[in-house]
Amino acid sequence: MLTRFKRLSKDSLIYGVGGALARSISIILLLIYAPLFGTQLYGVLNNVNATGALLLALLVFGLDGASSIFYFETDDIEQRRAVTSSWFYFSLLVSLPLCALLLLFSTPIAQLATRSADYADVVRLSIIAAPFTVVSFAFNNILRLKFRPVAYVELTLFTTALNVGVGLYLVLVMGMGITGAVLATMISAILTSMLGWWLTRDSYALHIDWALTGRLLRVGLPFAIASVALWVNNYISGPLLAQLAPDVKTGQTWAGIYGATLRVSIIIALVVSAFQLAWSPYSLSIARHEDAKRTYAKVLTYYTALFGGLALAMALFAHEALSLLDRNHQGYVQGYTILGLLSYSTVALGGYYIVSIGSNIAKRTANIGWTTVVAAACNIGLNYALIPWLGFLGAAIATFSANLLSAALLYVLSQRCYPVPYETGKVLRTLVLGLGLLVVGLQVNTSHWWLDALIKLGILAVYAVALPLLGIITEREMAVATQAAVKRLGRPR
């Protein structure tokens, strides 16, 4: 089992390096765009980007999850090529005409997303980019299925560098504002799809297997529903902040603060997504091994302890992080109260993917669909109830609650069809510990930054010490981890 953890850690590290470089550039863009646009225009940009994310969730049709299951069911190269061919050709044939149709409705879509029809042209650019984003998404995932993390990172970095370079030119040099930012996304999506096809060109047959495609769609339907529901859980708060505020200006300002804070939480999201990208194909590839269930159980415990600590660190130093955006005193720093909740929401989402393994292996993908729908309904209800009362804090509470609920529901149902001996007591103790220390940390305000920093570092130390004291991480596990780290650091380069 130790060998498997090493392989998972290695793949996660490679994905993480690429993700860290890509998202660090995104944070640089945030540092430029947020003060330049102000909270109102940044709120509009955030909601337009959320619209693009919704189109991606809809147009993938759940084929990412379904293809992973069918791909690892066989070792036959031609059968695997049939799976990837069906995914690519169907995505291309369906997304182009659907997006062409959506262009006719860009004005009402802009009204729903931003509470203003003035941004219909920006929404059109986002719709045009969608088909290319969909096929690029397929290319990225095919590289993961083939365990080619280096090529995956290369494609990711190409996309990001292109997006950033063109975006800075159009926004800063050409003065195109948020239109330039969205246009850069469209251009990078088109060029990335070309490079993605080149990197995966040996993965496709000359024809599409329609019978296989039908099976993929049937298995993928719950994944598609889950993708839309997960979009609701992670993106709906921005548009709802715009709609539920007392006026357009306030709504766009709330959406801007929320969107900027959500973007800062990318720091925790990048490590979670690196793990998730490695976990999905890896977990399925070991499903037939004798000790697979024990591996799944330990991964959840270690994941919660490690990533929960990272989320706590983000929460404790949220004020300092958001102060970097608020150089012009536009109000972004107000988001420090919600950065911890959004970070823990990301951790809960990663836990959702871990516990979904049982439903994936048993092909009970309907569990994934309806549990996320229930959580999404809860999210929308909480947003409507809390936003008029608490503003963007209510939106953050809704997001965190929904992601935690979806993980809990999927855990219960997956255990029924594929029991895994998860250490639920340890996981719950870890969450309670982290959230409790988060609340304590938000009260720290001595008016001396150095003293605040010392106290917050002390809170992190309490978290680390409490893990073995509460029996969450055993002494033997700590010894093995320390020994492995020392061995790794001492290895000659």
Side-chain angles (χ1 to χ4, degrees):
M1 187 169 71
L2 182 59
T3 302
R4 291 178 187 156
F5 277 118
K6 288 181 179 178
R7 177 182 168 187
L8 179 60
S9 299
K10 179 182 177 181
D11 284 356
S12 296
L13 178 61
I14 296 174
Y15 288 124
V17 168
L21 291 173
R23 298 194 182 204
S24 64
I25 297 174
S26 297
I27 292 174
I28 292 173
L29 276 184
L30 172 67
L31 293 173
I32 296 172
Y33 286 168
L36 180 65
F37 296 150
T39 51
Q40 284 183 257
L41 277 181
Y42 193 80
V44 172
L45 177 61
N46 178 68
N47 289 350
V48 171
N49 288 337
T51 302
L54 175 59
L55 289 177
L56 176 62
L58 289 168
L59 295 173
V60 168
F61 289 97
L63 291 177
D64 52 336
S67 295
S68 297
I69 293 173
F70 279 82
Y71 189 89
F72 288 110
E73 272 193 339
T74 177
D75 295 324
D76 182 78
I77 295 176
E78 290 305 317
Q79 185 60 31
R80 286 185 168 186
R81 185 177 285 118
V83 172
T84 52
S85 298
S86 296
W87 185 2
F88 168 58
Y89 291 136
F90 182 83
S91 297
L92 192 64
L93 292 172
V94 173
S95 60
L96 284 171
L98 283 179
C99 286
L101 180 63
L102 284 175
L103 286 173
L104 302 175
F105 301 94
S106 53
T107 299
I109 291 173
Q111 183 70 42
L112 286 172
T114 68
R115 201 171 172 178
S116 172
D118 295 339
Y119 301 103
D121 288 341
V122 181
V123 169
R124 288 188 191 99
L125 292 175
S126 184
I127 294 173
I128 293 171
F132 302 98
T133 303
V134 169
V135 294
S136 297
F137 178 80
F139 295 145
N140 273 299
N141 280 275
I142 289 168
L143 291 173
R144 285 200 302 128
L145 295 180
K146 301 182 73 170
F147 292 106
R148 295 178 59 192
V150 174
Y152 175 92
V153 168
E154 291 173 348
L155 186 60
T156 301
L157 291 182
F158 175 80
T159 306
T160 306
L162 192 62
N163 196 345
V164 171
V166 176
L168 291 179
Y169 175 76
L170 295 179
V171 173
L172 297 181
V173 179
M174 301 300 294
M176 296 180 65
I178 62 172
T179 301
V182 179
L183 180 59
T185 300
M186 185 193 78
I187 293 172
S188 66
I190 293 173
L191 295 180
T192 298
S193 63
M194 297 177 183
L195 177 60
W197 178 85
W198 177 258
L199 290 173
T200 61
R201 64 191 184 281
D202 60 343
S203 301
Y204 314 109
L206 296 177
H207 65 281
I208 183 171
D209 185 335
W210 287 106
L212 175 60
T213 303
R215 294 197 298 274
L216 286 170
L217 289 171
R218 285 192 293 274
V219 174
L221 178 59
F223 287 111
I225 296 171
S227 294
V228 175
L230 287 172
W231 177 89
V232 170
N233 290 342
N234 293 285
Y235 291 101
I236 194 64
S237 294
L240 286 181
L241 281 166
Q243 294 292 336
L244 299 176
D247 54 72
V248 174
K249 181 178 178 180
T250 302
Q252 292 177 346
T253 299
W254 282 356
I257 294 172
Y258 180 88
T261 307
L262 185 63
R263 182 69 65 177
V264 171
S265 71
I266 277 178
I267 296 173
I268 184 70
L270 73 88
V271 288
V272 172
S273 64
F275 167 82
Q276 177 191 328
L277 290 170
W279 171 251
S280 179
Y282 173 77
S283 61
L284 290 169
S285 70
I286 68 168
R288 290 175 285 182
H289 295 184
E290 184 177 348
D291 61 344
K293 290 187 177 182
R294 183 165 171 261
T295 301
Y296 299 151
K298 281 297 181 182
V299 165
L300 180 62
T301 302
Y302 298 155
Y303 168 87
T304 308
L306 176 60
F307 290 87
L310 293 176
L312 176 61
M314 286 292 298
L316 293 175
F317 292 95
H319 195 281
E320 290 80 357
L322 287 166
S323 294
L324 296 174
L325 294 182
D326 222 2
R327 301 186 299 273
N328 299 328
H329 305 290
Q330 296 166 310
Y332 289 111
V333 75
Q334 298 174 55
Y336 84 94
T337 56
I338 66 172
L339 183 55
L341 282 175
L342 294 178
S343 298
Y344 266 98
S345 177
T346 301
V347 173
L349 181 60
Y352 161 90
Y353 284 105
I354 294 175
V355 299
S356 70
I357 185 62
S359 293
N360 287 337
I361 291 174
K363 291 187 178 178
R364 301 285 183 86
T365 53
N367 293 342
I368 296 172
W370 81 261
T371 53
T372 49
V373 168
V374 171
C378 172
N379 191 348
I380 293 172
L382 286 174
N383 270 301
Y384 271 95
L386 297 178
I387 285 177
W389 176 34
L390 299 173
F392 51 80
L393 175 58
I397 293 172
T399 299
F400 170 70
S401 300
N403 279 338
L404 192 61
L405 177 62
S406 63
L409 289 175
L410 188 56
Y411 164 80
V412 171
L413 292 180
S414 293
Q415 286 294 85
R416 293 180 180 177
C417 59
Y418 185 86
V420 174
Y422 293 116
E423 299 172 324
T424 51
K426 292 183 178 182
V427 171
L428 291 175
R429 288 199 296 273
T430 304
L431 289 175
V432 171
L433 172 65
L435 291 172
L437 292 175
L438 184 157
V439 173
V440 173
L442 287 177
Q443 312 308 313
V444 176
N445 184 11
T446 65
S447 300
H448 299 285
W449 68 265
W450 58 270
L451 184 55
D452 287 351
L454 284 176
I455 295 173
K456 292 172 182 179
L457 289 172
I459 292 174
L460 282 177
V462 170
Y463 178 84
V465 171
L467 291 176
L469 290 178
L470 294 175
I472 297 167
I473 303 295
T474 67
E475 292 183 6
R476 181 178 179 277
E477 289 168 343
M478 292 185 65
V480 170
T482 302
Q483 183 180 4
V486 170
K487 183 178 179 181
R488 179 67 181 174
L489 291 173
R491 184 178 300 171
R493 297 296 189 268

